[in-house]
Structures are given as C-alpha cells and as structure tokens.
Amino acid sequence: MKRILSIIISILSFTAVLAQRQNVECEDTCSHIHGIDLSHYQGNVFWEAVGQANVSYVYLKATEGGDRIDDKYKQNIDLAHQYGLKVGSYHFYRPKINQQTQLDNFMAQCRPGDQDLIPMVDVETRSGLSVEDFRDSLFTFLHLMEQAYKQKPLIYTGANFYDANLLGQLGDYKVMIAQYTAREPVLKDDLDFIIWQYTGKGRLNGINGHVDKSRFMGTHKLREIRFRHK
C-alpha cells in the first residue's frame, strides 16, 4: 500500500512540474523586447495585471474595412495607458473596399494624441484580387495613411502570405511577421523585419484565453516604432 501511495505522489509531483513548465512563456525566459496585440476577442482585460507583466508594447485593434470598429478599443487604449503601457493601434485591411473610406474609419478612432507607437496595418487577405491588383490597392492605402499621420505605418503579415504576395515590396517599411513555429522566420528575400509574432496562443495574467505574442528581432528596438508627434 505504501508503495502504491508513493507512486501516486510521484505521478502527481511530475504532473505539477509539467504543468509549471507548460505555463512558462518566452518572455519569462529570454531578454527580447516582448509585446502583445489584442482585440474584442479577448473580452474584458485586467490591465493592472498586464501592466505588471514583462510586456513592453501593445497593439490594439481599432478598425476593420470601411465601417467596422472594435468595440473594446476605446476602453482598452484608455486602460492600457493608465497602467503604463506603450500603445499602438491597428487596422485590418480589406483590399476591395475604398481606401479613403477605410482611412476615414481608422482616423475616426486612432487619434494621434493617443498613440505611443506608429499605426499598424494588418494585411492577411487579397480578397480574391490578383496579386497585382492587391498590391495596387494596398499601396494606395499605405500612401494615404502616411500622408495622414506623417509617418509610414508598420505592416503586419504572415510569412507565407508575404512570400506569396509581397516579396520584395516592403523594403521601405517596418514589418512584423507572423509565424507560429519554434524557429525564427526566414523570408525568401531575406527581408530584415523588426518584429516576430511567434504565437497566437500565448497566455498572460489579466487576459482570459489566448493572446498573440511578439518580440523584437536582433538589435531592433522599441524606439523604431515610436509615434512621432508634431
């Protein structure tokens, strides 16, 4: 009986250690500059806890397409600032929707005075357009955004999407690349992207469920994406 009890205790101890290891996140074990991005999908966030984590920056979804507004954006940006986080805002780009309409939607939410970081454009779909038409659509929007905010936006896209649709096109932009693998992304044109979103299933105190996590690459620093105020 004692032997059986000893075995059970050993199994429980091993399970507890394994659970602790599974809860260890990248930002707990390395010195990279880490950040997160989130939207209404995370629900209500306990920002006081997030502010105490090893998180240097936050990108919040503001808008999508021509008329969609993230209903947690205003609450999230106010509270993130309150707890000392550096915050930026992003727009999910829809290539078939008029570019000026999309910019107007974003600018109605993304006020320069609220921004610590340059705006980010989330580019994940061609919406059925050819590669050439998609590029024309996207760069029209990027130029409009640059004129409006007096600085180039940060571009977010996936590694595979970049290689298939944007290869060699983003050399003048700062880029965040998403690739959910243990190895760092290597793009076909060796683009020197500055941020790697390495997981879509991160965990963080103060946030229910999963959250996207990212980190700066190599010697790149947070100052590279600081919003330049007039």
Side-chain angles (χ1 to χ4, degrees):
M1 183 68 180
K2 289 183 178 179
R3 184 180 179 186
I4 294 173
L5 183 60
S6 178
I7 292 171
I8 292 173
I9 291 173
S10 297
I11 292 172
L12 290 174
S13 297
F14 176 77
T15 303
V17 170
L18 184 62
Q20 289 178 349
R21 288 179 179 175
Q22 289 174 338
N23 288 331
V24 172
E25 301 280 351
C26 179
E27 71 272 11
D28 299 321
T29 59
C30 68
S31 59
H32 298 109
I33 303 168
H34 286 86
I36 58 175
D37 64 84
L38 49 78
S39 67
H40 66 278
Y41 289 114
Q42 279 73 39
N44 290 319
V45 174
F46 185 49
W47 283 103
E48 183 175 4
V50 176
Q52 294 171 357
N54 186 19
V55 171
S56 298
Y57 60 93
V58 179
Y59 267 100
L60 301 172
K61 184 176 183 181
T63 52
E64 178 176 338
D67 57 6
R68 295 185 184 179
I69 298 170
D70 192 287
D71 61 13
K72 295 294 183 183
Y73 174 73
K74 185 65 171 66
Q75 172 182 311
N76 281 338
I77 198 167
D78 288 347
L79 290 174
H81 277 137
Q82 183 178 328
Y83 290 102
L85 291 154
K86 300 300 181 185
V87 188
S89 306
Y90 76 89
H91 174 78
F92 190 99
Y93 185 64
R94 293 290 181 183
K96 285 187 175 180
I97 297 176
N98 178 269
Q99 294 89 354
Q100 187 62 54
T101 301
Q102 294 196 65
L103 180 63
D104 291 344
N105 186 28
F106 184 67
M107 290 187 69
Q109 304 303 316
C110 180
R111 299 172 299 184
D114 293 337
Q115 310 306 308
D116 302 302
L117 310 175
I118 59 177
M120 182 168 75
V121 181
D122 185 343
V123 185
E124 300 186 37
T125 178
R126 293 200 331 242
S127 298
L129 296 178
S130 68
V131 172
E132 183 178 359
D133 288 343
F134 158 71
R135 289 176 178 176
D136 287 344
S137 170
L138 175 62
F139 282 102
T140 297
F141 180 73
L142 296 180
H143 293 153
L144 287 172
M145 181 170 279
E146 181 179 354
Q147 291 172 7
Y149 288 99
K150 309 304 180 187
Q151 51 208 306
K152 290 180 181 294
L154 174 68
I155 312 300
Y156 166 94
T157 192
N160 291 336
F161 189 88
Y162 175 85
D163 283 342
N165 302 287
L166 290 166
L167 200 65
Q169 302 296 308
L170 298 183
D172 293 334
Y173 291 87
K174 297 176 176 65
V175 178
M176 180 193 296
I177 289 292
Q179 178 176 285
Y180 302 157
T181 61
R183 61 180 178 83
E184 294 181 356
V186 177
L187 303 174
K188 289 182 178 179
D189 61 358
D190 293 323
L191 178 74
D192 181 26
F193 57 95
I194 68 170
I195 304 174
W196 171 27
Q197 187 185 88
Y198 57 86
T199 183
K201 294 186 176 181
R203 295 286 185 177
L204 197 68
N205 288 340
I207 298 176
N208 291 322
H210 295 133
V211 63
D212 297 336
K213 289 187 172 183
S214 59
R215 68 167 176 82
F216 275 77
M217 299 293 293
T219 60
H220 290 292
K221 303 295 183 183
L222 188 63
R223 64 174 177 268
E224 296 178 52
I225 59 170
R226 288 285 179 91
F227 193 100
R228 298 192 310 273
H229 295 275
K230 294 180 180 180

